Amino acid sequence: MTSNNGNKNFSALTEQQMQLLSSTASSLSKEQLIWASGFLAGLAGSVSALPIPSSAQSVQNIATQATLTILYGSQTGNSKGVANSYKASALEKGFNCNLVSMSDYKPRQLKNETHLVVIVSTHGEGDAPDDAVELYEFLASKKAPKLPNLKFAVVGLGDTSYEFFCQTGKDFESRLLALGAKPIVERLDCDVDYEASVAAWAESLNAKLKDELVPVVSSQTASLNPAASAVSQSLYSKKKPFSATLNESLKITGRDSVKDIRHIEISLEDSGIAYQPGDALGVWFNNDEALVKRILAATSTKADDKVSLAGTQLSLMEALVSKLELTLSYPGFVKSYQAATEHAELGNLLSDKAALREYLSISQIVDIVEKYPAKIDAQSLVEALRPITPRLYSIASSQAEVEDEVHLTVAHIEYEINGQVNQGGASGFLSTRLQEGEKVNVYVENNDNFRLPADPNTPIIMIGPGTGIAPFRAFMQERDALEAEGKNWLFFGNPNFTQDFLYQTEWQGYLKSGLLSKISLAFSRDQAEKVYVQDRLRENGKEVFAWLEQGAHIYICGDAMRMAKDVETTLLALVAEHGNQSAAEAKQYVTNLRKSKRYQKDVY
């Protein structure tokens, strides 16, 4: 190949070189990309022709201006995504930005900050995400410094389906205010559909900051970011999913099981998608047409009624099937539906928040409109509902073994209420409505808070009852492929051994080969007294503590509301007992495990 300058020795980058360059570019900030482009051009002897400041000038400019620090606390990756998106908008304004996970941030650094953005999610019963716990607790402690010179903004991510909506964001704001910090803009509380509100908030915040944060680079050089743009545009995402193919949906619980759990295999062929053990798969789905017809009947609307969604005209049927959330209930729908229909009985329910929460916890949208039927125009119905959001499933495979496939372990939710059968939105779609060979839109949600140890010789303890076993199947496939020598111990539980031992032959094979060092099983209904994974953890407390003292990493996957809390309580107790520690010392021991990323949770 001959280049335009006639150099016959020039050749295009190899595929490996291109992947390396793209990987490096995607991890750099805009300022770093600009500096790197000048550096590379300098190596080629043409740096003088580029309108880019020298590295010395860039460093000096950055050092003499205020820095905007963006902190994120994220359990599933949404807050990290919002933080990255906001950083991009701030960089476009030329602000000097520093993006940091709360888990990597030194709390005492707060006293040195001038401008701070906090983006944090809430999970469970108003709990902070794991990577935010240390900073969250520090701000509430006597060690927290006064912050009279700090200006801040807070974004809370949550779900109005839950009682403690965006509680962690509210807590961060109240604690910063108590320390003397001053808000730049009003706190933003985000529901599951947050893209538009975050964009408006970012625009408002940047307008407030423009006179306080002097741009680092000119608008001309700030636009020079072709490498980062190329990388970002090549990746599939929540907004740009990949149209994958369902290869298999197989029930893996027994005929008499109280659970219907499916092993799902999806082809990613030709996508170039890469994922790591610990990541999740986002799955977009359509609602059941039979469910939609029930809603149409209860609201006296018609399938071909025309409605407008995000500026697009479509039929009500299409909107309800593919655009709007129908299987998760939330107070906002009840409030809007009642206002549009003036249903008196529903108004009484709205006045009792506790009763409303309890009712919504067991009811889908269809249950609400069938119990409180009323005529409503199609557009008002659409506006009362929120957009459909993809469901995240822990990935149950390693690409080291399955290559261009991705496997999931899905609990098919199906139950009868008022003589009608209800299904989960995504679980019903994957388990019964989507046929093998049909398409499903998916994307990978990275989870850097749930990763195997970098050293393959490090022992790991995995606690995952029910479908919580999914990421540990991926962990074992990965360690098997890498011929890792670290010990592996699984704690697994479900109702019955004969009906609910998920991937039984695989685990027995790993045990036989020696890859799995130990397995502790808790089948709750196989004896008179129910036994759970936390009971097995307690029984093996001495050995568990010994593994931890040997450097083991411990992982929990599954139910956040009950199981994960019970396991952590048991973990604290066994550390205190077998480590001869006080309750306070045991808590610090577990905190240190979390800080060193040796205690990780993937809970929902």
Side-chain angles (χ1 to χ4, degrees):
M1 180 183 295
T2 303
S3 68
N4 291 335
N5 63 9
N7 180 0
K8 296 182 179 181
N9 293 324
F10 173 80
S11 61
L13 296 177
T14 66
E15 183 178 352
Q16 290 80 4
Q17 288 172 325
M18 192 63 208
Q19 288 176 349
L20 180 60
L21 180 61
S22 296
S23 175
T24 302
S26 66
S27 68
L28 299 180
S29 68
K30 183 164 290 186
E31 294 85 7
Q32 290 171 324
L33 281 164
I34 292 169
W35 183 89
S37 66
F39 174 75
L40 292 172
L43 292 179
S46 58
V47 69
S48 60
L50 292 174
I52 298 172
S54 71
S55 60
Q57 290 174 321
S58 299
V59 171
Q60 184 177 8
N61 288 342
I62 293 171
T64 57
Q65 74 159 85
T67 297
L68 175 64
T69 296
I70 307 167
L71 296 179
Y72 65 87
S74 185
Q75 195 70 35
T76 62
N78 286 336
S79 293
K80 181 179 179 181
V82 171
N84 276 305
S85 177
Y86 172 66
K87 180 185 178 183
S89 74
L91 286 174
E92 287 179 1
K93 301 297 182 183
F95 302 155
N96 182 28
C97 296
N98 184 26
L99 178 66
V100 190
S101 166
M102 291 183 183
S103 64
D104 298 325
Y105 186 77
K106 291 183 173 20
R108 295 186 184 278
Q109 174 64 21
L110 275 173
K111 65 181 180 295
N112 300 321
E113 303 288 0
T114 60
H115 297 79
L116 179 71
V117 171
V118 172
I119 301 173
V120 65
S121 62
T122 297
H123 73 104
E125 298 177 322
D127 300 323
D130 289 342
D131 56 358
V133 169
E134 183 183 5
L135 181 60
Y136 181 83
E137 293 180 346
F138 175 82
L139 285 173
S141 72
K142 295 179 180 179
K143 297 179 180 180
K146 295 298 181 183
L147 302 170
N149 300 318
L150 178 66
K151 296 182 179 181
F152 74 93
V154 173
V155 175
L157 272 68
D159 184 339
T160 51
S161 302
Y162 293 91
E163 181 177 358
F164 300 98
F165 174 61
C166 290
Q167 187 62 48
T168 305
K170 296 172 184 176
D171 291 345
F172 266 98
E173 180 187 58
S174 65
R175 292 173 186 181
L176 289 170
L177 287 170
L179 295 170
K182 300 172 182 64
I184 306 169
V185 293
E186 185 177 346
R187 184 190 74 244
L188 176 65
D189 294 337
C190 297
D191 203 354
V192 292
D193 177 42
Y194 52 77
E195 283 84 1
S197 58
V198 166
W201 168 87
E203 184 176 350
S204 174
L205 177 59
N206 288 340
K208 295 274 188 179
L209 291 172
K210 68 179 181 179
D211 295 327
E212 300 185 35
L213 300 177
V214 180
V216 179
V217 292
S218 69
S219 59
Q220 179 184 12
T221 56
S223 66
L224 298 175
N225 195 9
S229 298
V231 171
S232 63
Q233 290 173 6
S234 69
L235 300 177
Y236 293 101
S237 64
K238 182 178 179 180
K239 292 183 179 180
K240 184 186 175 184
F242 174 68
S243 180
T245 303
L246 177 68
N247 280 350
E248 185 174 49
S249 174
L250 176 68
K251 184 179 179 183
I252 55 174
T253 43
R255 181 183 303 174
D256 299 322
S257 174
V258 295
K259 296 183 177 184
D260 180 358
I261 296 178
R262 304 293 177 111
H263 173 72
I264 307 290
E265 296 186 1
I266 294 172
S267 172
L268 301 177
E269 188 174 0
D270 298 328
S271 70
I273 289 176
Y275 60 84
Q276 298 181 58
D279 286 341
L281 190 75
V283 177
W284 287 96
F285 63 96
N286 289 335
N287 291 307
D288 188 355
E289 290 191 12
L291 171 71
V292 171
K293 291 176 182 177
R294 289 168 58 190
I295 292 175
L296 295 174
T299 57
S300 299
T301 50
K302 296 180 180 179
D304 57 359
D305 285 345
K306 296 301 179 183
V307 296
S308 176
L309 268 180
T312 301
Q313 295 288 322
L314 66 168
S315 71
L316 179 58
M317 185 72 175
E318 183 182 355
L320 293 178
V321 167
S322 61
K323 303 296 183 181
L324 298 167
E325 180 62 68
L326 302 182
T327 53
L328 295 179
S329 302
Y330 45 97
F333 170 76
V334 179
K335 183 177 180 180
S336 297
Y337 181 70
Q338 195 279 331
T341 61
E342 299 183 345
H343 201 295
E345 189 178 348
L346 197 54
N348 294 333
L349 180 62
L350 270 172
S351 65
D352 188 339
K353 289 186 177 180
L356 177 62
R357 288 283 178 191
E358 183 177 355
Y359 174 66
L360 293 181
S361 69
I362 58 171
S363 304
Q364 295 187 358
I365 297 297
V366 68
D367 303 319
I368 298 170
V369 298
E370 286 184 337
K371 184 173 182 179
Y372 303 102
K375 184 175 177 58
I376 184 174
D377 70 87
Q379 188 62 39
S380 295
L381 176 60
V382 163
E383 291 174 358
L385 294 164
R386 66 187 184 190
I388 202 167
T389 54
R391 303 296 193 258
L392 292 176
Y393 291 100
S394 301
I395 291 175
S397 56
S398 163
Q399 284 187 296
E401 178 163 323
V402 303
E403 297 181 345
D404 59 359
E405 291 183 352
V406 61
H407 298 176
L408 306 177
T409 310
V410 176
H412 177 211
I413 299 171
E414 184 175 80
Y415 58 94
E416 186 173 315
I417 181 171
N418 300 324
Q420 298 278 5
V421 175
N422 285 358
Q423 291 186 337
S427 71
F429 177 72
L430 288 171
S431 302
T432 62
R433 298 196 298 279
L434 188 69
Q435 302 301 306
E436 292 181 5
E438 293 184 340
K439 296 294 185 178
V440 53
N441 288 333
V442 301
Y443 63 97
V444 170
E445 187 75 59
N446 294 325
N447 186 358
D448 293 332
N449 296 320
F450 206 76
R451 290 283 184 248
L452 278 166
D455 182 355
N457 296 317
T458 302
I460 63 173
I461 300 170
M462 305 167 285
I463 305 170
T467 56
I469 202 169
F472 303 133
R473 182 175 184 263
F475 278 16
M476 295 301 287
Q477 288 183 357
E478 182 80 359
R479 286 203 139 186
D480 191 26
L482 295 176
E483 298 182 353
E485 295 185 3
K487 296 186 296 182
N488 305 291
W489 187 351
L490 174 70
F491 287 81
F492 172 72
N494 237 351
N496 300 106
F497 175 86
T498 57
Q499 302 293 321
D500 307 302
F501 192 168
L502 306 183
Y503 305 112
Q504 178 180 354
T505 56
E506 293 183 21
W507 292 110
Q508 289 174 334
Y510 288 139
L511 197 61
K512 185 176 181 180
S513 71
L515 181 66
L516 184 63
S517 310
K518 187 167 184 176
I519 188 167
S520 297
L521 302 172
F523 292 102
S524 59
R525 301 189 184 184
D526 280 350
Q527 59 283 311
E529 184 176 348
K530 291 187 177 180
V531 177
Y532 300 103
V533 287
Q534 59 266 28
D535 299 313
R536 296 298 185 223
L537 193 67
R538 186 183 304 108
E539 293 168 4
N540 290 274
K542 183 177 181 180
E543 189 173 359
V544 168
F545 183 73
W547 277 47
L548 292 175
E549 288 290 273
Q550 295 165 15
H553 289 215
I554 187 167
Y555 302 87
I556 302 173
C557 183
D559 171 48
M561 303 298 285
R562 294 176 297 275
M563 181 278 296
K565 291 186 175 182
D566 290 341
V567 166
E568 180 157 323
T569 298
T570 302
L571 180 61
L572 288 165
L574 74 83
V575 168
E577 178 183 356
H578 300 288
N580 295 317
Q581 300 178 18
S582 66
E585 290 170 334
K587 183 177 180 180
Q588 188 58 51
Y589 184 96
V590 173
T591 297
N592 291 339
L593 290 177
R594 182 185 292 113
K595 288 169 63 175
S596 61
K597 300 188 183 297
R598 289 178 53 205
Y599 176 35
Q600 300 183 37
K601 294 186 287 186
D602 177 11
V603 295
Y604 36 85

